[in-house]
Amino acid sequence: MSETREARLKRMRMRSWRRGIKEMDLILGPYADARLPELDAPTLDLYDQLLEENDQDLYPWVSGAQPCPPHYLGLLTEIGQFARERHITKS
């Protein structure tokens, strides 16, 4: 039996908030809450694949400290931009 879209989004949000390191919780959790419902199926598949990656690899990729695999580049660019915009202090 396949997972419903609702169940998939719930699972992915939970996995986004419960990572191995707190920094990734704070990057992926808010992104998942805000953006997952609007993502199309192929992008959700890619994000699901991303969730299987090690946090010790993910954090340098999303922070730009190390190059990420090409297939994640667009998604990680979007996630990084989302995280930076959340932390900009409004004047």
Side-chain angles (χ1 to χ4, degrees), residues 16-70:
S16 296
W17 276 106
R18 287 174 177 69
R19 303 295 307 169
I21 60 173
K22 192 65 172 172
E23 292 86 352
M24 288 311 302
D25 293 350
L26 297 174
I27 291 170
L28 294 180
Y31 176 83
D33 288 347
R35 301 282 171 86
L36 286 188
E38 66 193 38
L39 297 181
D40 60 19
T43 307
L44 280 176
D45 290 343
L46 185 62
Y47 187 82
D48 217 358
Q49 184 181 349
L50 184 77
L51 290 175
E52 296 301 318
E53 297 288 349
N54 235 327
D55 282 348
Q56 289 73 21
D57 295 324
L58 270 176
Y59 187 73
W61 295 343
V62 79
S63 69
Q66 293 181 1
C68 71

